[in-house]
Amino acid sequence: ARMADGKHVAIKKVLQDPRFQNREYDILKTIDNKYCVKMINYFKSRKNKPNDNNNLENNKDIYLNIVMNYMSQNLYDFNRSYKVQKSYPPIIMAKLFTYQILLGLSYLHSPEINITHRDLKPRNVLVDPNTGKLNICDFGSAKILSPKEPSVSYIASRYYRAPELMMNCTSYTNKIDIWAVGCIFAEILTAGVPLFQGSTSMGQLYEIIKIIGQPTDEDLESFQYDLTDNELLKIRKVEQKVTLKSSLPSHTPPEAIELLTEIFKFNPQKRPSADQCLRHRCFDELFKKGVTMPNKRPIPPIERPK
């Protein structure tokens, strides 16, 4: 849509259940960060019934319209634009976009905000390839996690779900977002081909094991899982088929494989935090003097944690 001043905006229209608060609206009211989508305004509306344009009062469906800043495409479309050309996104763009997602998570995961996104995937990351800027969007599944309160494990899109979610853990942490970032980074490197592609939740877990190997007993003890003995037995029968390095394109730099190896841990406690990822040598290139994007424009201003 277009504002009165001519500025382009995006409007997300959600059917509102009057019995419940809209969690996304509540979260967007509280967050203010340049790597997260910004709520500019909101309004409620009713949907016209067919052939009943003049009788809106009879329609009880109320919609919440969230007005947000507009960006030209999402990361899924960005990846596909290269896949169609049978090429790969430049490594500098893969690093730049991943770094900004981590900057957004550093803010969201901070003790003051304490929000876990819970549905990070390329479609929920807005990008502007010309400026290199990025926004995390779609906070419909986001939540302030509490150790004292269980959370539903059937959350997040399958290809980006951390192993503990597939094992029905209800006491997970914000480290599920870190796993998802690793999946997103790998998917940019492959021009839109998800690294782990299972057709079911357990199948997804098998695909992860085939690439990163079996979880140890210590890994499984690091979180509260809920699996039957038969399911555990099936997991133990899955063998590692390839390595992480061989699963990624040959042009993947060693520092990227190093970071992804650190992220893809079964034990959530062994996964790095967003701040630790930001300090990884994988992103040193972004801070070299004179570095530019492929269109010769300078890297957008980004900060490095102290």
Side-chain angles (χ1 to χ4, degrees):
R2 200 185 289 273
M3 300 278 277
D5 61 3
K7 179 183 176 183
H8 273 104
V9 292
I11 300 179
K12 182 173 184 176
K13 186 175 185 177
V14 186
L15 182 62
Q16 183 70 27
D17 188 329
R19 296 170 298 170
F20 302 105
Q21 278 285 93
N22 184 284
R23 186 184 280 166
E24 181 169 28
Y25 165 74
D26 288 341
I27 284 176
L28 287 173
K29 273 196 308 184
T30 64
I31 62 175
D32 183 14
N33 181 262
K34 68 177 182 178
Y35 304 106
C36 299
V37 75
K38 186 175 180 61
M39 182 168 71
I40 299 168
N41 209 331
Y42 71 94
F43 60 94
K44 290 181 178 177
S45 63
R46 293 183 190 270
K47 186 177 182 181
N48 292 2
K49 285 183 177 179
N51 307 318
D52 194 16
N53 294 337
N54 299 319
N55 196 9
L56 297 185
E57 291 76 17
N58 292 338
N59 192 338
K60 293 181 180 178
D61 286 348
I62 298 175
Y63 290 84
L64 175 66
N65 299 266
I66 301 174
V67 184
M68 298 171 285
N69 57 299
Y70 172 79
M71 294 190 86
S72 60
Q73 64 179 169
N74 61 38
L75 201 46
Y76 174 84
D77 296 328
F78 172 82
N79 291 338
R80 281 197 65 82
S81 68
Y82 284 90
K83 189 178 180 182
V84 168
Q85 298 169 30
K86 294 183 169 54
S87 62
Y88 293 102
I91 295 295
I92 192 73
M93 297 304 290
K95 290 182 177 182
L96 176 62
F97 286 151
T98 303
Y99 191 82
Q100 289 179 86
I101 298 171
L102 288 164
L103 282 170
L105 286 186
S106 175
Y107 166 79
L108 292 170
H109 291 177
S110 65
E112 303 79 27
I113 306 299
N114 191 28
I115 288 171
T116 302
H117 188 281
R118 300 203 304 172
D119 195 19
L120 280 175
K121 57 184 177 182
R123 289 183 189 273
N124 288 344
V125 178
L126 303 174
V127 296
D128 184 336
N130 291 320
T131 63
K133 292 181 179 179
L134 172 149
N135 274 177
I136 297 169
C137 71
D138 199 338
F139 287 82
S141 298
K143 186 182 178 185
I144 297 174
L145 299 179
S146 167
K148 298 175 184 177
E149 179 189 309
S151 297
V152 61
S153 62
Y154 197 75
I155 199 77
S157 300
R158 189 187 306 126
Y159 295 162
Y160 313 94
R161 297 181 78 202
E164 59 267 33
L165 296 177
M166 259 90 71
M167 294 184 175
N168 305 317
C169 174
T170 57
S171 55
Y172 51 85
T173 67
N174 60 26
K175 292 296 181 71
I176 65 168
D177 283 349
I178 301 299
W179 179 279
V181 174
C183 295
I184 291 170
F185 188 19
E187 195 165 324
I188 305 173
L189 293 169
T190 61
V193 180
L195 185 62
F196 309 115
Q197 296 186 59
S199 55
T200 64
S201 282
M202 289 305 288
Q204 183 71 11
L205 196 55
Y206 301 160
E207 293 306 312
I208 291 168
I209 293 170
K210 287 175 187 176
I211 293 178
I212 70 170
Q214 278 279 345
T216 63
D217 290 339
E218 182 193 355
D219 290 335
L220 293 178
E221 288 166 8
S222 66
F223 57 88
Q224 293 179 319
Y225 59 85
D226 182 16
L227 294 174
T228 65
D229 291 343
N230 188 42
E231 285 171 329
L232 275 174
L233 190 63
K234 285 181 178 177
I235 288 170
R236 287 302 188 204
K237 288 181 177 177
V238 181
E239 295 179 1
Q240 183 174 1
K241 303 285 188 186
V242 293
T243 62
L244 180 60
K245 182 179 179 180
S246 67
S247 304
L248 294 165
S250 58
H251 68 276
T252 305
E255 66 272 18
I257 296 169
E258 187 181 287
L259 175 60
L260 289 171
T261 302
E262 291 178 24
I263 287 173
F264 292 138
K265 301 285 189 190
F266 279 101
N267 185 339
Q269 297 160 27
K270 290 185 177 179
R271 276 174 228 151
S273 66
D275 280 354
Q276 287 171 326
C277 290
L278 289 168
R279 295 188 189 98
H280 196 277
R281 73 183 186 103
C282 178
F283 302 112
D284 289 352
E285 183 183 0
L286 298 174
F287 298 90
K288 287 182 179 176
K289 190 176 180 181
V291 67
T292 62
M293 296 186 294
N295 62 7
K296 305 305 178 189
R297 294 176 71 161
I299 294 283
I302 48 176
E303 52 278 0
R304 197 139 212 199
K306 294 176 183 176

